[in-house]
Amino acid sequence: MSDESRVAIVTGAADGNRPEPAPRRAPRAPRAPGAPGEAGTLGVMDGLMQPRPLTIAHILERAERLHAHKHVTTAGTERLTYAEVADHTRRLATALDRLGVPAGARVGTFAGNHRRHLELCLAVPATKRVLHTINIRLSAEHIEYIVDHAEDDVVFVDRGLLPRIWPSADRLPRVRHWVVLPDGSDMAIPADPRILDHDELIASGDPFAGSFEDAFTLEDENLASGLCYTSGTTGPPKGVLYSHRSTVLHCLGTLAAGLIGLSESDVVMPIVPLFHATAWGLPYGAMMAGASLVLPGGSADPAHLLRLIETERVTVAGAVPTVWTSLVPDLRSYDLSATRCLLGGGSAVPPALSETYRAALGVPITHSWGMTEVSPVGAIGGTRTRHREATEEQRVAVRAAQGQPMPLVNVRIVDVETGGELPRDGHAVGELQVAGPWVAGGYFRAEGEDGFTGDGWLRTGDLATIDAEGYLRLVDRMEDLIKSGGEWISSIELETVIASHPDVVEVAVIARPDPRWAERPVAYVVLRDGSATTAGQLLRHITPMVAKWWLPDAFVFMSALPRTGTGKLSKSALRDSARAP
């Protein structure tokens, strides 16, 4: 059954009546050994375990029952316990019923990282609706496309962000209600019957009593729970439709010891936006583990983030490399001694950046690799016990890898031309493909099916190596490789050596058309404030590290590099600039 049809057939209490708890399914009787049609002399049989579905409601219920005293802090100004968050979530569940939002309907959110958004991440899927987190950084054209494509029934939007999306309201007739979330701003709210106030909506009803899991028992754990769209850098955004099963299993993956290893003693701060695959699943993992949560609100100001990490004694935080780079100048001005794991993702973490954090805090930035289609985390970096005897240079090289796949995630590399699987020797380069229970098996409304192999693996578009220990190292995106004079140049490797210069903050290397060589590399560089480093100095710095024909034809200095809506470098924008006359 397709994901689209699953959403369509779910039924619920759109009229506001609380659904009766569904009866628990009785376990099936074991198959008799040797039954007809079964292989082997002994046959096969089912286990006798309870077939209880994996649900997001269980994450909420566990946090409420076992960790009610733990806190969710927003921007350092609001602190609520999990018990209070659960109460608000219960009220939100009844409010969705009063609005007539049917089970299976998509509920959009256009909001920052704060407590009310977290409550939506819990209430919407727990009540059998589908959470659609909308990227607030997208263009109006893309926002309208995905809201219409998702057929959102209701959209919850931060008051300060309302001017970004309200001009599109009349072009989105399927949205029946726009619910405004208070965010501390005093932005004017248009007089329109479609606009509702979130806090008034919540306050007007009583929270339902009883168990979330009993009230919203799932008939099938594979029912849709969340919808997140890709950034659309290579075509229209594609919808990735998560299930309760995939979300809970990914959540448990974040608790895996030796990787991220979230635990009850942690204080977790997702700097990465909630609209990006629910902040990499960190809030769900934190609540499952009983860890406290710190949400930074709408500000990415370095001083604000560093102050939160210090005052809240944050132990685990996740952000894209751009954010980690912005914090470097003031790292030593704050007490960040509580940190034990700093996750980087969204794009490759430059080794020099990771080592800067290790030198300052004793904690490097840990690589993670994933995609929206992988929920999003598929691999976690870092050294293992066998590296204790390695040289420091060897450990730096290991930390620079994207890491080993998380439990239940399978990876392989295949020859781009033949599709044959390549050896795991750390040298063979092929397209990275991935499979697992929290990896997409298709796109919403069956668009982009060429992104999957005939045997069901996701084609990532990344070129990578895998070594004998399973360490994954990205070589490049397939579209970012540079072919000069018939030879391949890795933009990622070239970026790494350029970024090793102490004055380089960011760098992106792209191919520029060349009449003789077909393509030649050009480096776009952001230098530290006050740096007088020249192109010639950068060229001399990297010359000993790469082949002569890898050396960029030009260095273009910029104050900032263009970015996609998810904060990744936008090489397509740079390529357009390079092609411009």
Side-chain angles (χ1 to χ4, degrees):
M1 183 181 295
S2 71
D3 285 329
E4 182 184 10
S5 58
R6 283 192 184 281
V7 172
I9 65 170
V10 179
T11 59
D15 60 0
N17 296 321
R18 178 63 47 203
E20 291 296 324
R24 300 293 186 192
R25 291 178 290 176
R28 289 180 292 173
R31 297 188 181 98
E38 293 178 348
T41 56
L42 295 179
V44 295
M45 61 194 309
D46 286 344
L48 293 175
M49 309 310 291
Q50 296 180 11
R52 296 176 68 94
L54 304 177
T55 72
I56 292 173
H58 176 76
I59 299 174
L60 172 63
E61 195 149 303
R62 178 178 173 84
E64 182 182 24
R65 287 184 173 179
L66 303 186
H67 307 290
H69 64 289
K70 289 298 187 77
H71 289 94
V72 176
T73 303
T74 299
T77 59
E78 179 193 66
R79 187 184 304 272
L80 273 69
T81 65
Y82 278 155
E84 292 172 307
V85 168
D87 177 75
H88 294 158
T89 304
R90 290 171 176 275
R91 293 177 184 273
L92 184 54
T94 59
L96 291 170
D97 285 346
R98 290 199 309 277
L99 290 178
V101 182
R106 272 70 75 201
V107 176
T109 63
F110 196 76
N113 284 20
H114 51 70
R115 181 261 304 173
R116 290 176 178 85
H117 198 177
L118 174 68
E119 291 164 1
L120 284 159
C121 293
L122 297 165
V124 172
T127 59
K128 300 184 182 180
R129 285 100 178 178
V130 181
L131 177 75
H132 173 206
T133 52
I134 304 166
N135 187 338
I136 64 176
R137 298 170 183 157
L138 292 178
S139 65
E141 178 185 7
H142 273 170
I143 290 169
E144 291 173 15
Y145 173 84
I146 66 174
V147 171
D148 183 67
H149 189 269
E151 297 184 357
D152 288 338
D153 184 59
V154 180
V155 174
F156 288 75
V157 53
D158 280 351
R159 183 169 181 169
L161 295 175
L162 189 59
R164 288 277 322 279
I165 198 169
W166 184 247
S168 300
D170 289 338
R171 291 188 289 274
L172 298 168
R174 290 190 179 95
V175 180
R176 295 187 299 115
H177 300 291
W178 299 83
V179 183
V180 177
L181 300 160
D183 60 359
S185 72
D186 57 0
M187 195 66 64
I189 299 176
D192 190 289
R194 293 170 292 178
I195 295 179
L196 305 174
D197 180 85
H198 171 273
D199 284 7
E200 290 178 3
L201 188 68
I202 300 303
S204 64
D206 295 325
F208 77 89
S211 163
F212 252 107
E213 285 195 275
D214 286 341
F216 299 103
T217 299
L218 295 182
E219 298 80 8
D220 183 352
E221 64 187 11
N222 291 300
L223 292 177
S225 65
L227 178 61
C228 192
Y229 281 76
T230 63
S231 57
T233 55
T234 57
K238 297 186 288 291
V240 180
L241 197 60
Y242 306 127
S243 68
H244 283 262
R245 178 176 184 268
S246 71
T247 301
V248 172
L249 288 173
H250 182 273
C251 170
L252 292 173
T254 66
L255 274 59
L259 298 173
I260 303 175
L262 298 181
S263 72
E264 185 271 341
S265 62
D266 278 318
V267 178
V268 181
M269 181 171 160
I271 303 172
V272 59
L274 280 164
F275 64 69
H276 195 177
T278 327
W280 299 348
L282 291 174
Y284 288 143
M287 296 190 76
M288 179 75 90
S292 289
L293 266 171
V294 178
L295 302 173
S299 173
D301 176 70
H304 169 68
L305 297 177
L306 287 166
R307 189 162 47 248
L308 279 177
I309 296 173
E310 177 185 67
T311 59
E312 299 298 329
R313 307 301 292 163
V314 170
T315 62
V316 178
V320 297
T322 309
V323 171
W324 291 128
T325 299
S326 73
L327 305 187
V328 167
D330 297 316
L331 270 184
R332 298 182 186 272
S333 301
Y334 294 82
D335 177 8
L336 310 181
S337 58
T339 57
R340 68 164 184 85
C341 179
L342 302 175
L343 285 170
S347 58
V349 178
L353 177 62
S354 178
E355 292 306 305
T356 296
Y357 274 79
R358 188 177 68 84
L361 309 179
V363 179
I365 297 176
T366 298
H367 250 126
S368 66
W369 171 86
M371 306 170 65
T372 303
E373 293 92 331
V374 190
S375 297
V377 185
I380 297 292
T383 58
R384 306 291 181 253
T385 54
R386 75 176 307 276
H387 300 118
R388 291 172 183 169
E389 305 303 320
T391 66
E392 184 54 35
E393 183 180 2
Q394 290 170 331
R395 286 194 290 268
V396 169
V398 172
R399 287 193 289 265
Q402 275 61 46
Q404 293 175 308
M406 292 180 72
L408 306 182
V409 175
N410 295 319
V411 296
R412 69 185 184 190
I413 53 173
V414 303
D415 186 284
V416 175
E417 300 292 335
T418 68
E421 187 166 357
L422 296 173
R424 298 171 179 239
D425 58 9
H427 300 290
V429 176
E431 184 191 18
L432 176 64
Q433 298 180 351
V434 60
W438 62 73
V439 178
Y443 291 106
F444 185 46
R445 296 188 167 157
E447 297 176 0
E449 293 306 310
D450 56 347
F452 301 88
T453 66
D455 57 351
W457 288 62
L458 171 71
R459 291 189 171 107
T460 68
D462 287 324
L463 291 171
T465 67
I466 302 174
D467 66 21
E469 296 176 335
Y471 273 89
L472 166 70
R473 289 173 173 82
L474 295 186
V475 173
D476 218 332
R477 291 287 296 170
M478 292 177 67
E479 68 265 25
D480 291 338
L481 274 177
I482 302 164
K483 195 164 191 178
S484 181
E487 300 289 343
W488 290 109
I489 299 172
S490 166
S491 68
I492 288 180
E493 290 187 35
L494 194 47
E495 287 163 359
T496 297
V497 297
I498 297 171
S500 68
H501 190 285
D503 284 352
V504 173
V505 174
E506 286 188 291
V507 58
V509 173
I510 65 160
R512 184 170 68 184
D514 185 89
R516 181 179 181 186
W517 303 108
E519 293 180 336
R520 290 296 298 152
V522 174
Y524 291 78
V525 178
V526 177
L527 296 175
R528 298 191 186 282
D529 289 342
S531 171
T533 297
T534 65
Q537 290 170 322
L538 288 179
L539 193 62
R540 287 192 292 273
H541 174 75
I542 68 171
T543 294
M545 306 182 203
V546 299
K548 184 177 180 180
W549 51 274
W550 277 42
L551 296 174
D553 276 11
F555 290 87
V556 180
F557 295 101
M558 305 180 73
S559 58
L561 298 179
R563 303 207 166 270
T564 67
T566 54
K568 299 179 184 179
L569 289 171
S570 177
K571 288 195 174 182
S572 60
L574 293 176
R575 279 191 284 267
D576 291 342
S577 173
R579 294 189 189 102

